[in-house]
Each structure stands twice: as C-alpha cells, then as structure tokens.
Amino acid sequence: MTQAANYSAQKATVDSVEIVRLADAEHHIEVSIAPSVGNIAYDMKVNGKAILLPPPGTLSDWKTKPSQAGIPFLAPWANRLDTDSYWANGKKYLLNPDVVTLRRDGNGLAIHGLVLFASDWQVTVLKADDQGAEVTSRLDFWKHPEWMAQFPFAQSIEMTYRLAGGALEVRTAIENHSGEPMPLSIGFHPWYQIPDCPRDGWKVHLPVREHYTLSDKLIPTGETTPVKFDDPTPLSGRQLDDVFGGVSQGDEFWVEGNGARISVRFGPKYPVAVVYAPQTKNIICFEPMTAITNAFNLTHAGHYPGLQSIPPGQRWVESFWIRPSGF
C-alpha cells in the first residue's frame, strides 16, 4: 500500500480475487480494479454510491463466469467484424475459431476482440502521492499463440488507472513489436449508472456531429448524416445503440439525474463514440473508440478513411476521463 495526504493505492483480496483499490479522500471516490478479470475497473463509488454497473454476484463468481460490468477493454477489434476475416495492410487475415472461443453477437458476428476478460494482466506500478493515486498493468499479447493466430501483430498493452482531482483517467499505451503497421480499432465499453434515479429521469449531453448509418446487423455502411441533439436530451422514451463521429474535442459527454452527473471526456485519438442506452436497463454507455465498427474491412473497401495505425516499433497512447459530481 502507498498513501499520501488525500490519495491511497493498495492491493487487497476480495472473495479470493486479488484487486487494486485507489482512493481520493478529498472527493470521497474509491475505484476498484480486478487485474485478473480483464483488468476491469469494476467498481467506482462516490460518497458510497456506485456509478458503474457492478458484476453480478460475488467477485469469485464473476471471475469464474465473467460478464460485462464496470469498464471493459475491447481489443484488438472493438464491436463487430462483418465476417470471420479482416483486411490489414492489403492482406486478408482469417479468424480461427478452432484455436480460441470467439464471442458472438446475436447475429453470429465476432464481437469485442480477444482480451475482454484476459487473466494475464500484471501490475507493474502501484503508487500514491500528493498529486494522485494510480496503478499500471501490462498485458503481453504476443506471448499468446491463440491470440496471435487471430491477430498476428505482436504487441504489448499497458493500462493505467489514475485517480486525481476528483476524476478517473483511463490511459492506454500500445507498443507495436511487429514489422508492419498495426491497424488500431480498439475501445472501451464503460457501463454508467445514476443510483437512486430511474432511467426515465436522466438527461444526456452528446457532443457529436455525425451519425453512421448502420445495417440491420449494426454494421456501418460507410454513410454518415449530420446530427445535432437537443441539449440536454431526455432519455425517457428513447433508446440508443448508435455509432457517432465528429466528437467535439474538449467537450464532455454527460448523463444527469436528480442533480448528480457523470461527465466523460475523450482524448483526441478517440474520434468515435458508440452510445448505448437500452430502454430496459438503468445504464448508459459512452464508449470511446479509435475507429468505427468493422473499420478494418470498411477501410479496405474504401468506405472509411479514419483508421489509425501504429508504425513498427512505435507506441500509441491515449486517455479518457470520468468525472462524477453531485453525488
């Protein structure tokens, strides 16, 4: 454990699962991370109120049978691929479902990549000082033949959760060890909630300018239309499961209810947002994405010009920030 005047960072064991807990005493915020379950920040409490969707049951149950909760990381592709193949650097690569179990959506499409609940994240830094509390964990993707058989770009991933000044920064650094540019279509799927306020009482601010037209299988066609939401937009009677571009840099997504607000700001290398707010659940997801759904294949087809890549031997770094208030 490391501790300073307002901040602390410590390892603990909960339900036989090793976790890391960061605390900001001044702002009454605690964040709990499970490195061995996808390095997911599964709990963020403000004045004792949970603003992230928690895992069902105990942590040991969740580790045995993981499901989405908290802030999952989606890589090496976020959301869906339209086939069990994809294009990179002018070459076609095939997924091999006989080597690894691929997650599928309701239409049978491969979804959310390979590392969603990876157990091999290793904590490399744990510290607290007068400026904040943070933990960094590392995942060496290249050490896993079953993953490399699906996405043969050797890489290492570092994720840092930093709690400072009343906000949580989620910083991701990816190093490309391979000899070719590595296409980048990653993202996060945070599940936010406002306790003590039903969904129909929530209002949102969506700082986006483009809406991507989706097929009936939720795959972008490549076409966009301008979009501007009322500010704020009531969620009552509205369902969202959409891909947006033109994220206004410096602006924040937010959801508000009963005077409490969760604000989320994307770094500039997250130009795409998926917003998911089903009418049947008291949750909303503001999902930072480096590219649109199915970006590998849409780029090859000439329908998407925004795909990022990491040059050989280079490192990509970006963050997003979560700031709660009024809880």
Side-chain angles (χ1 to χ4, degrees):
M1 176 177 178
T2 60
Q3 188 166 3
N6 290 317
Y7 298 102
S8 63
Q10 61 178 318
K11 289 184 176 181
T13 301
V14 177
D15 296 327
S16 302
V17 178
E18 186 175 278
I19 68 161
V20 172
R21 184 166 290 133
L22 308 178
D24 176 344
E26 180 181 357
H27 296 91
H28 309 285
I29 300 175
E30 285 191 349
V31 177
S32 299
I33 301 113
S36 64
V37 191
N39 201 42
I40 294 174
Y42 66 89
D43 186 36
M44 183 173 182
K45 285 189 172 69
V46 187
N47 283 315
K49 296 183 178 181
I51 68 167
L52 295 175
L53 180 72
T58 66
L59 278 189
S60 57
D61 290 342
W62 183 50
K63 184 173 182 177
T64 300
K65 188 177 180 180
S67 59
Q68 285 218 34
I71 308 177
F73 175 56
L74 315 177
W77 67 88
N79 303 312
R80 300 160 176 84
L81 296 174
D82 62 350
T83 65
D84 273 9
S85 63
Y86 60 91
W87 290 84
N89 302 324
K91 302 171 185 176
K92 187 176 182 179
Y93 294 91
L94 306 180
L95 301 182
N96 187 343
D98 292 328
V99 174
V100 67
T101 300
L102 297 169
R103 292 171 190 83
R104 306 281 186 178
D105 70 1
N107 292 305
L109 302 181
I111 190 170
H112 294 342
L114 304 168
V115 302
L116 187 59
F117 304 117
S119 61
D120 288 354
W121 289 90
Q122 300 296 315
V123 174
T124 58
V125 176
L126 181 67
K127 67 179 183 179
D129 55 28
D130 291 339
Q131 304 302 311
E134 67 180 59
V135 58
T136 298
S137 298
R138 180 181 178 92
L139 182 68
D140 286 322
F141 185 96
W142 59 270
K143 291 182 178 180
H144 294 262
E146 72 277 16
W147 296 346
M148 292 290 289
Q150 320 301 318
F151 193 78
F153 293 89
Q155 59 181 293
S156 295
I157 307 166
E158 287 186 338
M159 193 187 305
T160 299
Y161 292 99
R162 178 172 174 80
L163 189 57
L168 177 67
E169 176 188 4
V170 184
R171 182 169 68 249
T172 306
I174 302 177
E175 186 173 356
N176 178 15
H177 303 301
S178 60
E180 294 188 8
M182 186 179 82
L184 196 68
S185 182
I186 65 164
F188 286 82
H189 198 314
W191 299 80
Y192 302 112
Q193 61 181 15
I194 297 180
D196 309 322
C197 183
R199 178 196 188 279
D200 284 351
W202 298 359
K203 296 180 180 181
V204 298
H205 172 67
L206 303 175
V208 296
R209 295 190 295 270
E210 295 177 333
H211 179 266
Y212 282 89
T213 302
L214 302 181
S215 72
D216 58 358
K217 293 185 178 181
L218 301 179
I219 297 292
T221 64
E223 299 175 334
T224 63
T225 55
V227 64
K228 183 176 176 61
F229 288 90
D230 293 337
D231 190 18
T233 296
L235 272 188
S236 180
R238 180 189 292 269
Q239 176 164 308
L240 294 166
D241 192 359
D242 296 85
V243 181
F244 297 104
V247 175
S248 297
Q249 294 305 319
D251 204 349
E252 295 181 338
F253 294 82
W254 53 255
V255 57
E256 186 176 75
N258 279 354
R261 177 181 288 190
I262 303 169
S263 298
V264 184
R265 179 167 62 89
F266 294 5
K269 295 177 189 174
Y270 289 124
V272 172
V274 174
V275 181
Y276 177 54
Q279 285 187 290
T280 56
K281 295 181 180 180
N282 286 332
I283 60 95
I284 186 168
C285 305
F286 303 125
E287 307 175 33
M289 299 286 163
T290 62
I292 64 172
T293 303
N294 196 42
F296 298 152
N297 293 334
L298 288 170
T299 297
H300 180 75
H303 298 316
Y304 180 64
L307 183 64
Q308 301 174 56
S309 65
I310 307 174
Q314 297 298 305
R315 196 167 181 259
W316 178 95
V317 183
E318 190 54 283
S319 297
F320 68 98
W321 294 262
I322 303 165
R323 183 179 296 277
S325 59
F327 288 91

